[in-house]
Amino acid sequence: MSVAVVLFTADLRLHDHPPLHAAVASADAIVPLFVRDPAVDRAGFAAPNRLAFLADCLTDLDAGLRERGGRLVVRHGDTVTEVCAVARETGAGEVHVAAGHSAFARAREDRLRRALAADGRQLRVHDAVTSVVPPGDVTPQGSDHFAVFTPYHRRWSGVPLRAPLPAPRTVRVPPGPRSDEPPARASVAGVSPAVATGGEREGRGRLRAWISQDLDAYEERHDDLAGDATSRLSPYLHFGAVSATEAVHLARTRGGPGADAFVRQLCWRDFHQQVLAARPRAAVEDYRPRNDRWRRGAEAEEDLRAWCEGRTGYPVVDAALRQLAHEGWMHNRGRLLTASFLSKTLYLDWREGARHFSGLLVDGDVANNQLNWQWVAGTGTDSRPHRVLNPVLQGRRYDPDGAYVRRWVPELAALPGASVHEPWKLKGADRAAYDYPDPIVDLSEGLARFRRARERN
């Protein structure tokens, strides 16, 4: 009996899964394997919200496999060591895995290939599993990656996509490989109160409902903070519980301006992955240095704490940060304006903000988190690196009646309409009635400081 191992990493699904599809087609039996590797924790990829969501995903994956006659094998330890051990226990000749794009994933893949080869076994790596178009498949002349999104999007949009694959009808697992208990959400401490339920079943349900009910209005409404009109699929895409390729196919089949706008956002994921694959140090270093001398010292640390805690005195900034703390997710417009406020208005190192986001975001992967932060901070791929988002104007534009602010900053709930965006304009007893801080920085002073720092005066 031929046996193959399928190593699940950031692809926790059964539908549209090329490694699983190939293994089922080529082997008599397969071992679906997930390794909970402590190196992931040491590398900073683990956080309570993501661990809770991961537990849901693994529980759901195991349930889906059992419905098909199989089961998920879970091991704890070094990934290479555990994969090789399972392959020896079961006599597997091949290991199938999705291609990884971070420096961590690629180093793990290289180690695994060498270890399996030394044991007379083969590693089969599958592209276009966690991305739609793999990094390196489209490149500009004279470079290994695109540094500007628009030309990348143009080329990306013309790449023929593989057809989504069905989930296997049956999965036969050989007898013998032991499995640890999969992690449970209830065992994870420090989880935000309203983190979404993880898993492929939940993710596919959300995808199909959103495509049929809300996609058409996406182009017009995706920046509406209070309307909450985005797909909220990013956590499922991050863990691979939903296939980005299948999402593109479904959206394009639906068609229209909303579909085009949604697919463009999926292209941004691939864009950041191809940047990071080509420039791994961009996870921690400026992609385009601006010679910034970020603020340090006690006052800067107090400003950072105020920002993290959602008490900057700018209601729409605080609302977005409180949403993050409560849900482990933040509206994309909120991500842009909170990041601009930290890196440009407060002139604090973007890495501090990225670290805070990474500690809470369920969808906080390295490529999208770090490179989006760099985009906003002006050290990344933005063609207008010195733009500064004004939180008052942003609030009035994207939360015109203040509903988003009142939802997340309840101490201001009694303020009517757009006045909620500038509570400091109240006088005397009216101002004293609201237990909410004054702004920690004057916007004009923050802008002047940033322009001096970037030599823009």
Side-chain angles (χ1 to χ4, degrees), residues 108-332:
R108 178 180 60 193
E109 186 179 296
D110 288 343
R111 288 177 55 227
L112 183 56
R113 181 180 290 105
R114 291 194 300 270
L116 288 170
D119 220 10
R121 308 177 201 279
Q122 188 171 12
L123 179 66
R124 296 196 177 276
V125 179
H126 299 260
D127 284 326
V129 182
T130 62
S131 59
V132 180
V133 176
D137 272 24
V138 293
T139 56
Q141 187 173 3
S143 179
D144 57 356
H145 73 291
F146 278 90
V148 179
F149 175 75
T150 300
Y152 175 78
H153 177 247
R154 190 179 303 118
R155 288 278 301 280
W156 182 93
S157 298
V159 174
L161 303 186
R162 62 172 179 79
L165 300 168
R169 292 185 178 180
T170 59
V171 176
R172 183 183 180 189
V173 177
R178 67 166 181 83
S179 177
D180 300 335
E181 284 295 320
R185 175 185 280 233
S187 67
V188 183
V191 180
S192 295
V195 169
T197 300
E200 181 182 19
R201 196 183 313 271
E202 179 75 18
R204 287 179 65 80
R206 287 181 181 231
L207 172 63
R208 292 188 175 276
W210 190 76
I211 291 280
S212 64
Q213 298 169 18
D214 302 307
L215 179 64
D216 293 347
Y218 179 71
E219 184 185 34
E220 296 178 359
R221 299 192 59 214
H222 70 276
D223 275 323
D224 179 358
L225 284 163
D228 200 15
T230 64
S231 71
R232 285 184 175 254
L233 288 170
S234 55
Y236 302 92
L237 291 165
H238 170 62
F239 283 92
V242 163
S243 160
T245 298
E246 185 174 14
V248 170
H249 275 284
L250 289 172
R252 285 178 173 170
T253 299
R254 179 81 176 187
D260 292 342
F262 176 59
V263 170
R264 184 180 177 88
Q265 294 304 311
L266 293 172
C267 180
W268 270 106
R269 292 183 73 250
D270 281 8
F271 173 73
H272 284 145
Q273 286 189 10
Q274 59 96 40
V275 171
L276 189 65
R279 300 290 182 270
R281 294 300 299 171
V284 292
E285 297 175 357
D286 290 343
Y287 179 75
R288 288 181 173 139
R290 304 292 178 189
N291 299 315
D292 286 301
R293 294 184 295 275
W294 304 107
R295 292 172 58 221
R296 308 288 183 191
E299 184 179 282
E301 291 175 4
E302 178 55 35
D303 286 350
L304 176 62
R305 280 193 294 272
W307 180 87
C308 291
E309 295 169 6
R311 52 179 183 85
T312 68
Y314 288 96
V316 73
V317 171
D318 294 343
L321 288 160
R322 295 182 192 188
Q323 179 183 30
L324 172 62
H326 188 74
E327 296 184 352
W329 184 88
M330 187 194 293
H331 192 287
N332 185 60

